[in-house]
Short mmCIF file of all heavy atoms in Angstrom, two decimals:
data_model
loop_
_atom_site.label_atom_id
_atom_site.label_comp_id
_atom_site.label_asym_id
_atom_site.label_seq_id
_atom_site.Cartn_x
_atom_site.Cartn_y
_atom_site.Cartn_z
N LYS A 70 108.57 -45.52 72.64
CA LYS A 70 108.22 -45.40 74.07
C LYS A 70 106.78 -45.02 74.16
O LYS A 70 106.26 -44.37 73.29
CB LYS A 70 109.07 -44.31 74.77
CG LYS A 70 110.54 -44.68 74.89
CD LYS A 70 111.30 -43.63 75.66
CE LYS A 70 112.74 -44.06 75.86
NZ LYS A 70 113.38 -43.26 76.84
N ASP A 71 106.15 -45.40 75.25
CA ASP A 71 104.76 -45.08 75.47
C ASP A 71 104.49 -44.92 76.97
O ASP A 71 105.14 -45.54 77.74
CB ASP A 71 103.83 -46.19 74.92
CG ASP A 71 102.37 -45.80 74.79
OD1 ASP A 71 102.08 -44.63 74.95
OD2 ASP A 71 101.58 -46.72 74.52
N THR A 72 103.59 -44.01 77.29
CA THR A 72 103.23 -43.80 78.69
C THR A 72 101.81 -44.38 78.83
O THR A 72 100.90 -43.99 78.13
CB THR A 72 103.22 -42.32 79.07
OG1 THR A 72 104.53 -41.81 78.87
CG2 THR A 72 102.82 -42.11 80.52
N ILE A 73 101.67 -45.27 79.80
CA ILE A 73 100.38 -45.86 80.08
C ILE A 73 99.75 -44.98 81.13
O ILE A 73 100.39 -44.50 82.08
CB ILE A 73 100.52 -47.30 80.63
CG1 ILE A 73 101.36 -48.16 79.62
CG2 ILE A 73 99.22 -47.98 80.91
CD1 ILE A 73 100.86 -48.18 78.23
N PRO A 74 98.43 -44.66 80.95
CA PRO A 74 97.72 -43.73 81.90
C PRO A 74 98.10 -43.90 83.35
O PRO A 74 98.33 -45.00 83.84
CB PRO A 74 96.27 -43.99 81.66
CG PRO A 74 96.21 -44.47 80.23
CD PRO A 74 97.48 -45.26 80.04
N ASN A 75 98.13 -42.79 84.05
CA ASN A 75 98.58 -42.64 85.43
C ASN A 75 100.05 -42.68 85.56
O ASN A 75 100.61 -42.61 86.66
CB ASN A 75 97.91 -43.69 86.37
CG ASN A 75 96.45 -43.51 86.46
OD1 ASN A 75 95.91 -42.43 86.28
ND2 ASN A 75 95.76 -44.60 86.70
N GLY A 76 100.75 -42.77 84.42
CA GLY A 76 102.23 -42.67 84.43
C GLY A 76 102.64 -41.21 84.36
O GLY A 76 101.83 -40.30 84.44
N ASN A 77 103.89 -40.96 84.15
CA ASN A 77 104.44 -39.60 84.12
C ASN A 77 104.94 -39.33 82.73
O ASN A 77 106.07 -39.60 82.40
CB ASN A 77 105.57 -39.45 85.15
CG ASN A 77 106.10 -38.05 85.21
OD1 ASN A 77 105.48 -37.14 84.69
ND2 ASN A 77 107.29 -37.88 85.78
N ASP A 78 104.06 -38.76 81.85
CA ASP A 78 104.46 -38.45 80.47
C ASP A 78 105.14 -37.10 80.45
O ASP A 78 104.57 -36.09 80.78
CB ASP A 78 103.21 -38.46 79.57
CG ASP A 78 103.59 -38.49 78.12
OD1 ASP A 78 104.77 -38.20 77.79
OD2 ASP A 78 102.69 -38.76 77.30
N PRO A 79 106.41 -37.03 80.05
CA PRO A 79 107.12 -35.78 80.02
C PRO A 79 106.63 -34.80 78.94
O PRO A 79 106.89 -33.62 79.01
CB PRO A 79 108.56 -36.16 79.78
CG PRO A 79 108.49 -37.46 79.12
CD PRO A 79 107.23 -38.13 79.66
N ARG A 80 105.91 -35.30 77.98
CA ARG A 80 105.35 -34.50 76.89
C ARG A 80 103.88 -34.21 77.18
O ARG A 80 103.16 -35.04 77.68
CB ARG A 80 105.52 -35.20 75.56
CG ARG A 80 107.00 -35.41 75.25
CD ARG A 80 107.19 -36.26 74.03
NE ARG A 80 106.36 -35.80 72.91
CZ ARG A 80 106.38 -36.35 71.68
NH1 ARG A 80 107.18 -37.36 71.50
NH2 ARG A 80 105.60 -35.93 70.76
N ASN A 81 103.38 -33.03 76.81
CA ASN A 81 102.00 -32.73 77.01
C ASN A 81 101.18 -32.83 75.74
O ASN A 81 100.10 -32.24 75.69
CB ASN A 81 101.86 -31.31 77.68
CG ASN A 81 102.37 -30.25 76.74
OD1 ASN A 81 102.88 -30.51 75.66
ND2 ASN A 81 102.29 -28.99 77.20
N ILE A 82 101.69 -33.53 74.75
CA ILE A 82 100.89 -33.79 73.51
C ILE A 82 100.60 -35.28 73.42
O ILE A 82 101.35 -36.11 73.91
CB ILE A 82 101.59 -33.28 72.27
CG1 ILE A 82 102.96 -33.96 72.10
CG2 ILE A 82 101.78 -31.79 72.30
CD1 ILE A 82 103.70 -33.61 70.85
N LYS A 83 99.51 -35.64 72.71
CA LYS A 83 99.19 -37.05 72.54
C LYS A 83 100.21 -37.67 71.59
O LYS A 83 100.66 -37.06 70.67
CB LYS A 83 97.79 -37.20 71.98
CG LYS A 83 96.74 -36.77 72.99
CD LYS A 83 95.38 -37.03 72.42
CE LYS A 83 94.31 -36.64 73.48
NZ LYS A 83 92.96 -36.92 73.00
N GLY A 84 100.46 -38.94 71.81
CA GLY A 84 101.30 -39.71 70.92
C GLY A 84 102.46 -40.35 71.57
O GLY A 84 102.81 -40.28 72.64
#
Side-chain angles (χ1 to χ4, degrees):
K70 293 185 176 192
D71 194 9
T72 300
I73 306 306
N75 296 332
N77 182 18
D78 193 345
R80 297 173 48 177
N81 63 358
I82 59 175
K83 291 184 178 182

